[in-house]
Amino acid sequence: MDFACGTGLISKPHVKTIIGVDISQGMVDQYNLRVQRESIPPEKMRAVRAEFEGKVEELDDMKFDVIICSSSYHHFESIARITQTLEPPRRAS
């Protein structure tokens, strides 16, 4: 996942699938337009608009191996909350 993806400047289709997530529909539209212009299939790379509060039902219950977030943390009201939201649940030992 490319969290707070904006127009997708750092998203590269060098993985099986990449999903950009942004709160701004305008940024999501620009991201998806770029993907379309580069002839990348949406199954491989696309963006969706979401508030992303860490609820199980968000993003169709997708799981991510890696979550990146570049040049966005200074926009978040609570860095601790957003980081905790992005962290995977801890397994019991």
Side-chain angles (χ1 to χ4, degrees), residues 3-4 9 11-13 24-25 29 31 33 43 46 50 52 54 60 62 65-66 72 74-75 77 81 84 88 93:
F3 183 72
L9 290 176
S11 291
K12 303 292 180 208
S24 166
Q25 187 62 51
D29 292 344
Y31 186 112
L33 184 59
E43 313 77 63
R46 65 187 166 89
F52 200 67
D60 296 327
M62 284 191 211
D65 293 325
V66 176
S72 299
H74 63 282
H75 292 290
E77 187 175 313
R81 186 187 67 75
Q84 185 176 23
S93 332

Side-chain angles (χ1 to χ4, degrees), residues 1 13 16 23 28 32 35 44 56 62 65 67 69 73 75 77-78 80-81 83-84 91-93:
M1 175 197 306
K16 182 179 175 184
I23 195 170
V28 167
N32 289 328
V35 169
K44 175 108 175 134
V56 174
M62 284 191 211
D65 293 325
I67 299 174
C69 182
Y73 260 60
H75 292 290
E77 187 175 313
S78 171
R81 186 187 67 75
T83 301
Q84 185 176 23
R91 295 182 185 163
S93 332

Side-chain angles (χ1 to χ4, degrees), residues 22-65:
D22 203 285
I23 195 170
S24 166
Q25 187 62 51
M27 292 293 101
V28 167
D29 292 344
Q30 288 299 311
Y31 186 112
N32 289 328
L33 184 59
R34 183 186 132 229
V35 169
Q36 182 181 16
R37 284 183 184 149
E38 293 180 18
S39 300
I40 301 168
E43 313 77 63
K44 175 108 175 134
M45 186 172 159
R46 65 187 166 89
V48 295
R49 188 203 171 283
E51 296 284 332
F52 200 67
E53 297 172 349
K55 296 176 184 169
V56 174
E57 64 274 6
E58 290 175 313
L59 302 177
D60 296 327
D61 217 10
M62 284 191 211
K63 306 277 188 271
F64 299 93
D65 293 325

